[in-house]
Amino acid sequence: MNKINPLYILGLLVIFFLFSVFQLSKAKEEYKEQANSYQETRELALRLNGIKSVYTQEKVLQSKLDQLIKQLQAKGVELNKVESKKNTVISAMSIDLANLNTLMGKILNGSYEIKEINLQRISDEKARIRLEIQW
């Protein structure tokens, strides 16, 4: 009577097997969630790194801005540029609409941090502008 019934051992093994399968399925679900979370975090980090690289290229942005001002000054527009460590102020007492459109198109499509824009209409063909770009 000291023998263990083989059905008890078989039953115990079946219960152990079912418990293991249940734990494995839970572990697989957790792994999938962690993999999705990792992928989302990775994509976010890549996007933030791209944005950071665009906005931290201050010297490149300043050279593009200087190029734009020189281009407009070559067309006869009197633009004044005042630079400081933290910002740049561009102003013109009188600028025609075509050149204003060129200036605003380049500024707004670039990755400049615009602090203030002040536009005043002088006549049908002329305007006054004051633009402050923060670095």
Side-chain angles (χ1 to χ4, degrees), residues 21-127:
V21 168
F22 177 73
Q23 290 295 330
L24 181 64
S25 67
K26 260 175 61 173
K28 283 182 182 179
E29 288 177 13
E30 289 178 12
Y31 173 74
K32 287 179 184 177
E33 289 176 11
Q34 292 295 327
N36 289 338
S37 175
Y38 170 75
Q39 188 64 26
E40 290 173 5
T41 305
R42 186 172 185 260
E43 290 173 4
L44 179 63
L46 288 174
R47 275 190 277 143
L48 288 176
N49 190 25
I51 291 171
K52 179 184 174 186
S53 68
V54 167
Y55 281 101
T56 57
Q57 297 176 354
E58 184 178 328
K59 291 183 181 183
V60 173
L61 290 175
Q62 284 180 346
S63 69
K64 285 183 181 180
L65 186 63
D66 290 338
Q67 225 174 17
L68 175 63
I69 291 172
K70 287 178 185 177
Q71 177 187 7
L72 290 173
Q73 285 176 341
K75 291 181 180 180
V77 178
E78 292 184 30
L79 286 174
N80 298 324
K81 179 181 167 189
V82 178
E83 290 188 44
S84 69
K85 242 183 179 179
K86 294 183 180 180
N87 60 11
T88 299
V89 177
I90 301 169
S91 61
M93 296 306 285
S94 177
I95 184 171
D96 62 359
L97 295 180
N99 290 325
L100 177 63
N101 190 27
T102 302
L103 174 67
M104 293 307 292
K106 298 281 185 174
I107 295 292
L108 294 176
N109 286 327
S111 53
Y112 300 100
E113 187 176 341
I114 300 171
K115 187 174 182 182
E116 177 184 349
I117 296 177
N118 187 2
L119 280 173
Q120 294 176 342
R121 187 177 194 171
I122 297 174
S123 67
D124 289 339
E125 297 296 320
K126 300 276 184 179

Side-chain angles (χ1 to χ4, degrees), residues 2-18:
N2 290 337
K3 292 184 181 179
I4 297 176
N5 193 346
L7 291 176
Y8 291 144
I9 294 174
L10 183 64
L12 183 63
L13 288 176
V14 168
I15 290 173
F16 180 71
F17 177 74
L18 291 176

